[in-house]
Amino acid sequence: MSDKFADSLPKISRRQALVYLASGTAAMALPGLFGSNVARAAMTGPAGSGGQMVVGFSQEPTVFNPLMPHIEVDDGLHFSLFDPLFGIDEKGNFTPALATEVPTQANGGISADGLNFHLKLREGVKWHDGQPFTAEDVKFTLELLVDPNFRSWSRSGHELVRDITIVSPTEIKWRMEKPYSPYTSILAATFIVPKHGFANVQDKNTAPFNSAPVGTGPFKWQQRVPGDHIELTANKDYFGDGPKLDRLIYKYIPDLNVMYTQFVSGDIDIAGLQWISADHYDEAKKLPGKVVDVFQSATIENFAFNLARPQFQDPAVREALYYAIDKQTIIDALYYGLPKPTETYMPRQSSYFNADLPAHEFSLDKAKALLDKAGWKPGAGGIREKNGVKLSFTNSTTAGNHLREQMQQFMQQSFQEIGVEMKISNLPPAVMWGDYWMLSKFDSAIVGLNYLTGSDPDTATYMRSDAIPAQGGAGQNVFQYKNPEVDKLLAQGSAEFAPEQRKAAYLQIQALVRKDLPFLTLFSFANVRGHKQGAENIIPNINVRIDSWNANTWYWNKKA
């Protein structure tokens, strides 16, 4: 927030200023200027009983190989193109997919000691190019994930797999180096890719498959128009339920006000990631012909640090910045009170949620005192410094997310009052969540993350010391967070199978993370979901990272 803006509001409170900013920006939506031929075609759909649906995403899917580092929006596409061995539904139940049965200790798919897996696969499944799906593809997928020359999105759990044995084209088994209880959930989030899609490819990171994916899923790749949309067509040979649509369009709309305008006009059928912004909720829920509701998700909004930056290596700095964030005003004024503040990355709905963590307090005085005590003294321009390091950094998020941008400006003003300079540097989603995020090129960021693997409390991919991509690890520890005690507790929790025995470890991890503050948890997402009346089976699922997990069952109710 510029000094000029702050000076123009000298007689109103911090809370009033944020309300003023929110209402002013919300009014700047430009109805009637948007829409596309693709979106308008959705009103009638192509020939055939299935028709098509257009889903609006605020970010553009750019990673089409599901085994490479990717974010939530890419999952939205992967669920349509690929299948895991088994999935997880909205009630938290594992459901068979490419495997005929979910392996458990009770049915013998997992040995009593948790060390041996034995899976039977579906017969007659074909890849989109007509090639048969076999156990060879499963073996290839599991081995590719741990290939040291491949940019794997996560090796957690997979690195423990040993002695993969193909019993037959529809039967596979392996052993684990040690028991690892989250592995069932990890497999449910692991899409299988075709071995033949990488044949004669020396560098699998640049394989043609990565830009023209072939899966077993309910929809086939049709075309991509960069910066606009991705078009998928029905896989008529799909082994599972559906697809019930002829065509599925994922449309990229980076400005949330524009996305809402297109939802109102009917140019998009579903407001997908990042849904309808909270400032439009009161109007949206009254719109005729629309279904709008609020869903408390497992995604947490964070102020994330890159701990490799020298100014963030002092715990006092991170704690002071937390004191300087007026979390409740942000929730009330920008998000209309819909989200819930939180002190942990664990969703409130989880039985592993730690409710006994210290409550956040907004206090600029305490923030200043903490920095004074830690030796950060005001320097040129009032910016604090210590040992030649200035408390100055950039903060980045998705350009076009107007509520986050307003939150940044509000934080910027608060930080300025305690002698900290935060410069705002927002980027298009495809840039922001590419290598800039995954390889820790940012200073700090505003980001929404679902830290869990399905409903499993394991967070190794985000917190384990060897899961730092910028340091050669496979995972999503972009914070570059290292705590040997957290590593030890993650190993301890993953070695237990009984929930009550696991719980103690995960409660302790939450307490350590709350103390270390590698990221500042702001609030849990309250997603304002919306879709056109008559679009059926648009069901939220807290156990996955995105709503299009069951797009194979979506259909138009012609009687609605």
Side-chain angles (χ1 to χ4, degrees):
M1 181 175 292
S2 67
D3 292 338
K4 182 177 180 181
F5 180 87
D7 292 343
S8 71
L9 301 171
K11 296 182 180 180
I12 59 178
S13 69
R14 179 184 305 276
R15 178 182 292 267
Q16 289 171 321
L18 190 55
V19 172
Y20 175 90
L21 181 62
S23 61
T25 304
M28 291 174 64
L30 303 176
L33 298 182
F34 312 108
S36 70
N37 293 332
V38 169
R40 281 192 288 273
M43 301 299 290
T44 56
S49 59
Q52 74 176 26
M53 285 188 191
V54 178
V55 184
F57 280 164
S58 65
Q59 300 163 11
E60 183 175 12
T62 58
V63 181
F64 310 131
N65 182 337
L67 306 187
M68 299 186 75
H70 62 274
I71 59 173
E72 287 88 341
V73 71
D74 302 306
D75 276 348
L77 190 66
H78 300 159
F79 274 112
S80 299
L81 292 170
F82 300 95
D83 292 292
L85 293 168
F86 39 86
I88 186 167
D89 66 18
E90 76 278 12
K91 297 178 182 178
N93 299 315
F94 291 111
T95 57
L98 291 173
T100 60
E101 188 176 40
V102 178
T104 65
Q105 291 172 318
N107 65 24
I110 303 175
S111 62
D113 59 8
L115 291 176
N116 294 285
F117 280 66
H118 191 165
L119 279 72
K120 293 184 178 179
L121 309 176
R122 292 184 186 272
E123 296 182 0
V125 177
K126 293 182 179 180
W127 294 99
H128 294 158
D129 59 6
Q131 294 290 320
F133 159 76
T134 72
E136 290 282 357
D137 300 306
V138 179
K139 182 175 187 290
F140 173 79
T141 297
L142 296 180
E143 291 177 341
L144 181 58
L145 282 162
V146 295
D147 183 337
N149 297 316
F150 179 68
R151 286 188 60 203
S152 173
W153 84 290
S154 178
R155 296 192 179 101
S156 294
H158 303 302
E159 82 275 24
L160 300 176
V161 174
R162 301 286 185 273
D163 303 332
I164 301 175
T165 302
I166 296 175
V167 180
S168 76
T170 57
E171 195 170 354
I172 190 170
K173 63 182 181 179
W174 65 82
R175 70 175 179 87
M176 305 292 287
E177 182 179 299
K178 61 182 179 180
Y180 190 68
S181 56
Y183 199 49
T184 303
S185 291
I186 289 170
L187 286 174
T190 301
F191 295 100
I192 305 301
V193 300
K195 179 179 180 180
H196 68 271
F198 297 85
N200 303 316
V201 174
Q202 188 168 8
D203 183 1
K204 296 179 177 60
N205 297 294
T206 58
F209 173 91
N210 299 341
S211 56
V214 173
T216 57
F219 293 92
K220 298 180 179 181
W221 182 268
Q222 181 67 22
Q223 67 167 334
R224 177 195 182 201
V225 179
D228 192 79
H229 72 276
I230 292 172
E231 179 181 349
L232 309 179
T233 57
N235 175 13
K236 300 299 184 181
D237 296 322
Y238 188 53
F239 65 86
D241 187 14
K244 302 181 179 183
L245 299 169
D246 294 323
R247 186 159 50 184
L248 187 59
I249 307 291
Y250 289 111
K251 183 164 174 54
Y252 167 49
I253 311 170
D255 188 302
L256 294 186
N257 280 324
V258 177
M259 182 189 289
Y260 177 68
T261 302
Q262 293 198 18
F263 175 69
V264 173
S265 67
D267 285 346
I268 61 173
D269 303 310
I270 301 171
L273 194 80
Q274 297 172 357
W275 310 281
I276 298 169
S277 57
D279 52 332
H280 292 303
Y281 174 58
D282 282 343
E283 178 187 74
K285 66 184 179 182
K286 301 170 188 174
L287 292 172
K290 311 292 184 184
V291 178
V292 175
D293 58 22
V294 178
F295 176 66
Q296 299 291 333
S297 82
T299 300
I300 306 297
E301 187 80 321
N302 307 265
F303 188 101
F305 297 110
N306 179 353
L307 298 180
R309 299 292 189 260
Q311 58 268 52
F312 297 139
Q313 291 174 6
D314 185 345
V317 170
R318 306 196 296 272
E319 187 177 358
L321 291 176
Y322 201 27
Y323 271 125
I325 294 176
D326 191 351
K327 191 187 295 191
Q328 195 60 53
T329 291
I330 290 169
I331 291 171
D332 292 341
L334 284 182
Y335 293 91
Y336 292 77
L338 294 177
K340 304 298 181 187
T342 186
E343 300 302 328
T344 179
Y345 56 85
M346 192 71 67
R348 291 179 180 275
Q349 302 94 325
S350 172
S351 60
Y352 296 90
F353 175 77
N354 189 336
D356 298 323
L357 299 176
H360 169 261
E361 179 185 356
F362 168 61
S363 174
L364 295 179
D365 289 339
K366 288 187 176 180
K368 292 175 186 175
L370 198 59
L371 292 173
D372 288 340
K373 184 177 180 181
W376 292 91
K377 304 300 182 184
I383 302 172
R384 293 176 183 264
E385 54 185 80
K386 178 181 178 181
N387 299 330
V389 176
K390 286 190 173 185
L391 271 187
S392 175
F393 56 88
T394 61
N395 182 262
S396 304
T397 195
T398 310
N401 186 326
H402 61 285
L403 295 186
R404 277 185 178 166
E405 289 171 341
Q406 292 163 33
M407 178 164 57
Q408 285 176 309
Q409 293 168 20
F410 188 53
M411 289 179 177
Q412 184 183 54
Q413 184 188 30
S414 296
F415 293 164
Q416 186 178 29
E417 292 185 36
I418 64 169
V420 174
E421 180 183 51
M422 185 181 88
K423 294 170 286 188
I424 296 172
S425 177
N426 293 338
L427 300 167
V431 178
M432 177 70 208
W433 308 119
D435 286 351
Y436 184 75
W437 171 252
M438 291 304 300
L439 295 181
S440 304
K441 297 180 180 180
F442 63 94
D443 288 347
S444 69
I446 303 291
V447 58
L449 294 173
N450 181 339
Y451 289 87
L452 308 189
T453 303
S455 58
D456 194 277
D458 184 69
T459 55
T461 189
Y462 285 99
M463 297 175 189
R464 208 165 66 184
S465 298
D466 62 357
I468 301 173
Q471 298 182 26
Q476 299 190 67
N477 185 354
V478 297
F479 323 107
Q480 306 200 60
Y481 174 53
K482 295 182 179 180
N483 184 323
E485 185 63 20
V486 169
D487 289 345
K488 178 181 176 182
L489 288 166
L490 284 168
Q492 178 181 319
S494 66
E496 298 285 353
F497 282 81
E500 284 307 312
Q501 294 175 359
R502 299 184 72 194
K503 190 170 184 176
Y506 295 108
L507 292 178
Q508 290 181 59
I509 293 170
Q510 291 171 73
L512 286 169
V513 171
R514 174 62 179 84
K515 179 183 177 183
D516 292 343
L517 298 177
F519 45 83
L520 310 177
T521 54
L522 303 176
F523 52 79
S524 54
F525 271 31
N527 300 335
V528 181
R529 303 170 62 256
H531 60 83
K532 193 176 295 183
Q533 194 169 5
E536 301 291 345
N537 278 349
I538 318 299
I539 302 170
N541 185 345
I542 198 170
N543 302 299
V544 297
R545 302 201 298 176
I546 199 163
D547 288 349
S548 54
W549 66 281
N550 68 332
N552 59 300
T553 69
W554 292 355
Y555 70 95
W556 287 110
N557 181 353
K558 297 180 180 179
K559 296 179 180 179

